[in-house]
Amino acid sequence: MYKQENVLIQGETTIAATITTPDQERSSFPAIVLIGGTGGLDRDGNGTGFKSNLYKDLAEWLTIQFITLRYDKRGIGKSGGNRHSVGLTGLVDDVSAVVRYLKSHDHVSQDVLLLGHSEGCIVATLAAERESVSGLILLSGAGVALKTSMQEQAHALLDEVKRTKGIKGKLLRFSLNEKSVVGKQQKLFERVTATDQDTMRIQLMKFPAKWLREHLAHTDVSLRERLVRLNIPTFALTGDRDVQTAVEHLDELDALHVKHIEVQKIKDMDHMLKHFDGEMSILDVKKQYRSQLSEPLHPELHHQLHEWLKRHDWAS
């Protein structure tokens, strides 16, 4: 149903990407760039001991009617650069290079859309200010700053620890308390803002100080204001079982009453865009994600994306 090609794109560093093209007799198609979230997952959504194929599955579904491009972030997979020293600005630079590449592609029409997941929502929002794109799809993180997500996850962790019963709860409360979680996080924010170094050592581990410092310059309000000013079709979707990004943030976007921004809550969808109707737990979230590796993307996500793309004449 599609043709696939691996390419190298030259930006500030070499970006390794996969382009999928519908196997149809047409001269050109609209294109969608997939922008992944934080961490060391590659262009397909896979990492060491973790093979979700999240972005590969998204790309292959979209390639029914779109050219899609997914890429390894700097220092990951086959892309050049250093994942620890790149900042948020560098991640945005790479999206700009990818968009310019697609606009020069023989089979890409005038429409290029950005699809961001998790941190990719922030990267997509900032990149759309740099490069002229036709639309934004923001999954699990629209209009939410990284600092907000980190703080909310810390408080959710403490709340869950307080609710945990028995010996397990007592042991957790001994090691996870306000000082060790929230206090430690605040000290991290202070340390990265007090330095101009790209990296620093946190408990002997190399930490991307520049990346976090540049993220801390953005707030929920500033990101939402950017989405309003962009004035391009924007679709924000989050699942109501997402423990990493609170679904209630969609209400803040919706309350702006901006015509070009649409929001959609997906029932029983988690942060990895899979169906989940169990008990929400930030303590066990990694175990949950691993148990879902072979499951398909949430069917309602497919439906809502397809309907939105149809409304804007990008799909039939």
Side-chain angles (χ1 to χ4, degrees), residues 2 37 64 70 99 102 125 137 149 193 197-198 243 284 316:
Y2 60 84
I64 295 170
R70 60 192 192 273
V99 171
L102 278 176
T125 300
I137 300 169
S149 294
T193 52
Q197 298 299 306
D198 290 350
V243 298
D284 295 327
S316 58

Side-chain angles (χ1 to χ4, degrees), residues 80-275:
N82 187 315
R83 61 175 291 195
H84 296 294
S85 61
V86 65
L88 175 60
T89 302
L91 298 178
V92 175
D93 290 341
D94 292 344
V95 176
S96 292
V98 166
V99 171
R100 292 194 296 270
Y101 173 86
L102 278 176
K103 287 183 175 180
S104 67
H105 194 282
D106 289 342
H107 298 296
V108 172
S109 68
Q110 61 183 351
D111 289 315
V112 176
L113 288 75
L114 303 181
L115 184 156
H117 172 245
S118 194
E119 182 199 10
C121 293
I122 299 171
V123 177
T125 300
L126 300 178
E129 291 185 314
R130 296 242 206 116
E131 304 294 330
S132 176
V133 294
S134 300
L136 289 175
I137 300 169
L138 305 176
L139 307 179
S140 305
V144 185
L146 181 70
K147 182 178 182 180
T148 297
S149 294
M150 291 177 68
Q151 290 175 324
E152 289 179 346
Q153 289 173 33
H155 286 290
L157 176 64
L158 290 174
D159 289 343
E160 188 174 340
V161 166
K162 290 176 185 176
R163 297 193 307 270
T164 304
K165 298 178 180 179
I167 297 297
K168 180 181 179 181
K170 289 181 180 179
L171 292 173
L172 286 171
R173 285 187 285 277
F174 179 76
S175 58
L176 297 173
N177 52 54
E178 192 85 19
K179 182 178 180 181
S180 68
V181 177
V182 176
K184 186 177 178 181
Q185 187 179 79
Q186 184 57 39
K187 285 182 179 178
L188 173 63
F189 294 156
E190 292 169 359
R191 281 192 64 185
V192 299
T193 52
T195 182
D196 60 359
Q197 298 299 306
D198 290 350
T199 62
M200 59 174 27
R201 292 283 174 179
I202 304 289
Q203 295 179 335
L204 303 179
M205 299 291 289
K206 188 178 284 189
F207 182 83
K210 179 181 180 181
W211 169 80
L212 180 55
R213 185 169 60 249
E214 291 185 350
H215 263 294
L216 294 178
H218 300 281
T219 65
D220 298 356
V221 171
S222 70
L223 289 170
R224 291 197 296 266
E225 288 175 345
R226 281 177 156 85
L227 290 173
V228 172
R229 288 198 301 269
L230 282 169
N231 195 28
I232 56 176
T234 300
F235 197 23
L237 306 95
T238 304
D240 67 0
R241 312 299 287 178
D242 193 326
V243 298
Q244 292 183 246
T245 304
V247 70
E248 289 77 17
H249 287 297
L250 289 184
D251 297 331
E252 297 163 355
L253 265 180
D254 202 31
L256 298 174
H257 301 296
V258 178
K259 188 175 181 181
H260 67 266
I261 299 176
E262 297 182 51
V263 306
Q264 182 66 51
K265 298 177 183 179
I266 306 292
K267 180 176 171 56
D268 294 336
M269 186 177 81
D270 65 13
H271 194 73
M272 296 301 287
L273 313 180
K274 305 288 182 74
H275 179 272

Side-chain angles (χ1 to χ4, degrees), residues 20-72:
T20 54
T21 306
D23 191 11
Q24 300 177 23
E25 294 299 323
R26 281 173 51 186
S27 60
S28 65
F29 302 86
I32 297 181
V33 179
L34 277 66
I35 306 167
T38 55
L41 300 183
D42 64 15
R43 72 188 84 177
D44 290 337
N46 301 330
T48 305
F50 187 85
K51 189 175 182 180
S52 72
N53 279 327
L54 172 62
Y55 305 131
K56 182 175 184 286
D57 290 347
L58 261 176
E60 290 179 353
W61 175 73
L62 289 164
T63 306
I64 295 170
Q65 298 186 70
F66 293 86
I67 289 176
T68 64
L69 185 149
R70 60 192 192 273
Y71 63 96
D72 295 332

